[in-house]
Amino acid sequence: MKKTKSKLTNQHPMGQSRLEIKIIKDKTSADVDIQAMSLEAAQAFVVLLESLTNIVELTPDNKSIKIQITSGSAVMAAEGEPVTKVQKEFDRILENKSANGELVEQWRRIQRVFTLNGLQYDACFYDGEIKTPIYSILRNRPKLRVKPLTHKTFKTDLEFITGKLIAVGGKNPNIHVEVDGKALSPISCTEMNATKAKAYLYQTIRFSAWSKMTSKGKQLTLCDSYANEESFEELKSFVKDFSSKGEIEALKKLHYQIRSYLDVQGYGKLHRFLRLFTHDGTDINILKIILIVTQTVRDNERIKQQIQTLHELFNKRFKQLNKKIEQGE
């Protein structure tokens, strides 16, 4: 929502960022004085001050924010550089983009006071010489709401394919597979995987691959190939079930699957399982769970290199997310 801005009046000196709320007049249109308020004004003052204090408490780096009450008139304010964060989050709330239910509830309480008890108020953000009124915005808009939570699932780009291997090679390593008599586009891979795949030349090959849509169509990159059909079907079933569940249930399933390998010291199976997630597109929460669950065995020779690669992927994703946060995305 576009904000209205105007120059500060002489009643407020230039200074730090500030959120100010005033109770101007009571129901009889008499000026409100903090030293002698009507019951309605006193009740409103208590709710507004409590909500303002809670908003400050829910703001990061809030230690430098000072809560002020002006003697005489019923004016309360929060002042300090972090109030700029309060204003940014308020804008997100107005756009229904905030998932912070506790914070939204504090602004909702202020909104209820402004709309229900017939007193006259004013409320503004100040940033240097810029004044942004918010009283009318809160009074006239529908009830503030928390951003709806979506049923997030982990989108997987993994495909499990059974076909006939008809060629291995290329300047850039790749394999060529035919499925039901139709040749797929060349599937890129590492030299190691290409060498491993040669064992299936002109035979049935079962493999997993990451898919990506490009301007030239779907592009596949080999993840792993499987001599054992049971192993192939087990991993295929896991990925299908994993990607259909909500985020929390999916992460629980991942945790228990890894534990099932560790409990029987099935490091070979675990190594193969972890290959499914050794990819730039893997969600950081998946990588985090893997690293946490495997922490006690990270030096095991069978999976040491795999864990190290996953740790490097996690660090890369973490830096990418921090960069987005810094850029305000």
Side-chain angles (χ1 to χ4, degrees), residues 54-55 57-58 99-108 146:
N54 290 338
I55 288 168
E57 186 178 2
L58 293 167
N100 189 333
E102 193 174 356
L103 182 62
V104 172
E105 176 56 26
Q106 301 311 315
W107 283 107
R108 194 181 287 156
V146 181

Side-chain angles (χ1 to χ4, degrees), residues 27-185:
K27 287 185 176 180
T28 66
S29 296
D31 292 341
V32 174
D33 189 322
I34 196 171
Q35 297 178 9
M37 292 189 286
S38 66
L39 176 61
E40 293 87 351
Q43 290 172 330
F45 186 86
V46 169
V47 174
L48 293 172
L49 181 59
E50 183 179 45
S51 296
L52 179 65
T53 303
N54 290 338
I55 288 168
V56 171
E57 186 178 2
L58 293 167
T59 300
D61 305 319
N62 58 21
K63 299 300 181 184
S64 62
I65 298 179
K66 303 299 181 185
I67 305 293
Q68 304 169 351
I69 300 174
T70 303
S71 178
S73 59
V75 179
M76 63 210 81
E79 185 171 272
E81 189 57 36
V83 173
T84 58
K85 297 178 182 177
V86 177
Q87 186 170 1
K88 287 180 180 178
E89 195 59 29
F90 177 73
D91 290 341
R92 286 174 53 80
I93 291 171
L94 293 181
E95 295 168 1
N96 295 324
K97 291 182 178 179
S98 176
N100 189 333
E102 193 174 356
L103 182 62
V104 172
E105 176 56 26
Q106 301 311 315
W107 283 107
R108 194 181 287 156
R109 292 179 73 203
I110 293 173
Q111 184 183 36
R112 281 199 293 268
V113 171
F114 285 174
T115 56
L116 292 179
N117 67 1
L119 280 67
Q120 295 180 37
Y121 302 91
D122 191 24
C124 299
F125 279 105
Y126 295 91
D127 186 8
E129 293 186 344
I130 303 300
K131 174 183 176 181
T132 306
I134 62 172
Y135 167 68
S136 294
I137 293 173
L138 286 170
R139 181 174 173 79
N140 297 326
R141 71 172 288 118
K143 182 180 177 182
L144 299 175
R145 299 189 181 280
V146 181
K147 177 183 178 182
L149 295 177
T150 56
H151 183 67
K152 178 183 175 183
T153 58
F154 290 113
K155 180 178 178 294
T156 176
D157 296 320
L158 266 172
E159 295 187 19
F160 287 79
I161 301 170
T162 300
K164 180 180 179 181
L165 182 64
I166 56 176
V168 177
K171 184 177 180 180
N172 297 315
N174 58 62
I175 64 173
H176 298 253
V177 176
E178 192 177 78
V179 176
D180 296 330
K182 182 179 179 181
L184 301 179
S185 299

Side-chain angles (χ1 to χ4, degrees), residues 98-307:
S98 176
N100 189 333
E102 193 174 356
L103 182 62
V104 172
E105 176 56 26
Q106 301 311 315
W107 283 107
R108 194 181 287 156
R109 292 179 73 203
I110 293 173
Q111 184 183 36
R112 281 199 293 268
V113 171
F114 285 174
T115 56
L116 292 179
N117 67 1
L119 280 67
Q120 295 180 37
Y121 302 91
D122 191 24
C124 299
F125 279 105
Y126 295 91
D127 186 8
E129 293 186 344
I130 303 300
K131 174 183 176 181
T132 306
I134 62 172
Y135 167 68
S136 294
I137 293 173
L138 286 170
R139 181 174 173 79
N140 297 326
R141 71 172 288 118
K143 182 180 177 182
L144 299 175
R145 299 189 181 280
V146 181
K147 177 183 178 182
L149 295 177
T150 56
H151 183 67
K152 178 183 175 183
T153 58
F154 290 113
K155 180 178 178 294
T156 176
D157 296 320
L158 266 172
E159 295 187 19
F160 287 79
I161 301 170
T162 300
K164 180 180 179 181
L165 182 64
I166 56 176
V168 177
K171 184 177 180 180
N172 297 315
N174 58 62
I175 64 173
H176 298 253
V177 176
E178 192 177 78
V179 176
D180 296 330
K182 182 179 179 181
L184 301 179
S185 299
I187 301 161
S188 60
C189 61
T190 63
E191 288 187 10
M192 182 181 295
N193 277 340
T195 301
K196 179 183 173 184
K198 281 183 179 179
Y200 303 99
L201 194 59
Y202 302 120
Q203 299 178 48
T204 296
I205 183 172
R206 302 177 188 88
F207 65 97
S208 54
W210 293 289
S211 65
K212 179 181 179 181
M213 291 305 299
T214 69
S215 58
K216 298 180 180 180
K218 185 163 68 174
Q219 176 184 316
L220 294 174
T221 302
L222 184 66
C223 171
D224 202 3
S225 56
Y226 309 91
N228 187 310
E229 184 176 0
E230 183 180 349
S231 176
F232 173 80
E233 291 297 336
E234 178 185 318
L235 294 175
K236 179 180 178 181
S237 176
F238 173 88
V239 169
K240 181 179 179 181
D241 192 32
F242 176 80
S243 59
S244 69
K245 294 186 178 298
E247 181 177 11
I248 295 175
E249 288 303 313
L251 292 175
K252 284 182 181 178
K253 182 175 179 63
L254 176 64
H255 172 95
Y256 290 127
Q257 187 70 21
I258 295 173
R259 286 292 342 157
S260 72
Y261 295 129
L262 293 177
D263 289 344
V264 296
Q265 297 184 357
Y267 299 116
K269 285 189 173 183
L270 177 58
H271 186 274
R272 173 153 286 178
F273 178 76
L274 295 181
R275 284 181 188 167
L276 300 174
F277 306 100
T278 312
H279 188 257
D280 281 341
T282 301
D283 187 280
I284 191 171
N285 292 302
I286 294 174
L287 296 171
K288 183 179 180 181
I289 287 292
I290 292 173
L291 294 175
I292 290 173
V293 183
T294 59
Q295 189 171 12
T296 58
V297 294
R298 62 185 178 184
D299 293 325
N300 183 282
E301 289 301 322
R302 298 287 298 276
I303 59 172
K304 183 177 180 179
Q305 186 56 52
Q306 190 79 23
I307 297 299

